[in-house]
Amino acid sequence: MEQTLAGRTALITGSTSGIGHGIALLYAQAGAKVMLNGFGKPEEIAKARAEIGAAMGMAEAPYSAADLSKPDSVRQMVKDAVAALGSVDILVNNAGIQFVAPIDEFPDDKFDAIIAINFASNVHAITAALPGMKARNWGRIINIASAHGLVASPEKVAYVSAKHAVVGMTKTVALEVAKLPITCNAICPGFVRTPLAEAQVGPLAKAHNVSEQVALEDFLLEKQPSKRWIEVDEVARMALYLAGPGSGGVNGAALSIDGGWLAA
Ligand code: NAD
């Protein structure tokens, strides 16, 4: 494929699975040197490192096991990425978790973890990576927010709050770097076909005593007018566009990729 990221370095959080993995693979195929991060079974992490390493012509991709709920670990991850890659030209804040409960039943520890991982870690990573981008006079910051960064759904108070904060933070950083060749944007996907998201269909079908197709369209994708999953590769291609040539005028945007959710 076209080597639009040749010579670039990228740190992609939460890239051992799902959307982050898809972005890391596409960036590697486009010529970037990437560092992975995220949890998982050792054999799954080894597989991702080998697969993405192969796309970069390496035995394995560099990897950080940093726990993004801890600010010091986030900052250390950025330092480790600079040591492994030489720089962090592109930062993709992707790692995220979810927990669903009514606000008056929402456990404090779950709320704090979602705010720390889905939002605060993005700020700490940007704080650590931005001085290097300024010194090299180029940078791309891409925050994977959500349709829930722009609209709410019930029982997702922590997730919706964190993702709205990501969109607000994205705009603030964009204004601060506006005169530099650095951009900061958010991607706001609807429901994306990842193993975790797909795993919700079976239980929903059982709970409502309907087929998996009906559960998918009427319950999980209730708000997604296309009634189909967004594919990981579609999100990765949007992230590639934002990191690649020709997107320098896009700054502070919250780009929807949601099958029409926000249009309704
Ligand atoms: P996923 O569960 O497949 O991947 C999440 C990644 O984050 C994994 O690599 C996991 O190990 C990592 N992670 C979780 N907690 C971490 C921690 N404390 N420290 C370091 N890494 C940690 O999920 P996904 O669906 O690919 O989601 C990726 C991002 O996209 C998230 O921010 C999510 O909110 C967002 N998103 C997902 C969807 C969807 O439908 N899948 C929709 C909109 C937005």
Side-chain angles (χ1 to χ4, degrees):
M1 81 180 272
E2 212 185 335
Q3 298 292 286
T4 52
L5 300 186
R8 301 293 190 203
T9 57
L11 169 60
I12 300 145
T13 71
S15 42
T16 49
S17 83
I19 295 169
H21 176 271
I23 294 173
L25 185 59
L26 195 63
Y27 277 17
Q29 289 167 343
K33 290 276 181 273
V34 306
M35 179 186 252
L36 307 181
N37 155 260
F39 299 151
K41 292 183 186 144
E43 61 271 21
E44 286 167 358
I45 294 172
K47 189 172 166 234
R49 293 185 70 179
E51 182 189 18
I52 293 162
M56 300 191 287
M58 299 165 75
E60 56 178 17
Y63 163 75
S64 163
D67 177 351
L68 301 191
S69 67
K70 302 187 169 81
D72 287 347
S73 302
V74 177
R75 285 187 275 269
Q76 188 59 48
M77 170 186 67
V78 173
K79 280 187 193 157
D80 292 345
V82 171
L85 306 171
S87 61
V88 175
D89 299 327
I90 304 161
L91 170 66
V92 182
N93 286 309
N94 166 78
I97 58 169
Q98 175 64 288
F99 188 84
V100 179
I103 187 166
D104 48 354
E105 294 169 19
F106 214 95
D108 286 351
D109 60 337
K110 299 286 186 202
F111 184 85
D112 290 349
I114 289 177
I115 298 297
I117 296 165
N118 295 18
F119 168 56
S121 76
N122 297 11
V123 178
H124 300 308
I126 293 168
T127 305
L130 190 55
M133 293 178 182
K134 286 180 176 170
R136 288 184 312 285
N137 208 31
W138 196 89
R140 294 285 180 267
I141 300 164
I142 298 160
N143 302 316
I144 307 302
S146 167
H148 283 121
L150 301 169
V151 290
S153 292
E155 304 196 354
K156 295 186 176 175
V157 65
Y159 190 85
V160 168
S161 302
K163 295 297 188 179
H164 274 69
V166 169
V167 170
M169 176 273 290
T170 299
K171 293 178 188 176
T172 307
V173 175
L175 291 177
E176 293 187 17
V177 299
K179 288 191 175 153
L180 305 172
I182 298 173
T183 63
C184 181
N185 292 290
I187 294 179
C188 298
F191 279 100
V192 182
R193 192 201 304 265
T194 60
L196 272 190
E198 265 193 313
Q200 296 175 40
V201 178
L204 266 177
K206 263 196 187 145
H208 294 279
N209 199 23
V210 293
S211 70
E212 293 208 348
Q213 191 57 31
V214 170
L216 178 69
E217 293 187 8
D218 291 1
F219 296 102
L220 196 65
L221 302 185
E222 182 200 354
K223 295 183 174 175
Q224 200 150 296
S226 61
K227 298 296 175 194
R228 73 155 178 89
W229 293 103
I230 303 297
E231 301 296 343
V232 164
D233 186 60
E234 294 177 291
V235 181
R237 283 175 188 280
M238 189 177 258
L240 180 62
Y241 163 73
L242 288 173
S247 64
V250 183
N251 190 26
L255 298 173
S256 291
I257 173 164
D258 63 8
W261 183 336
L262 262 290

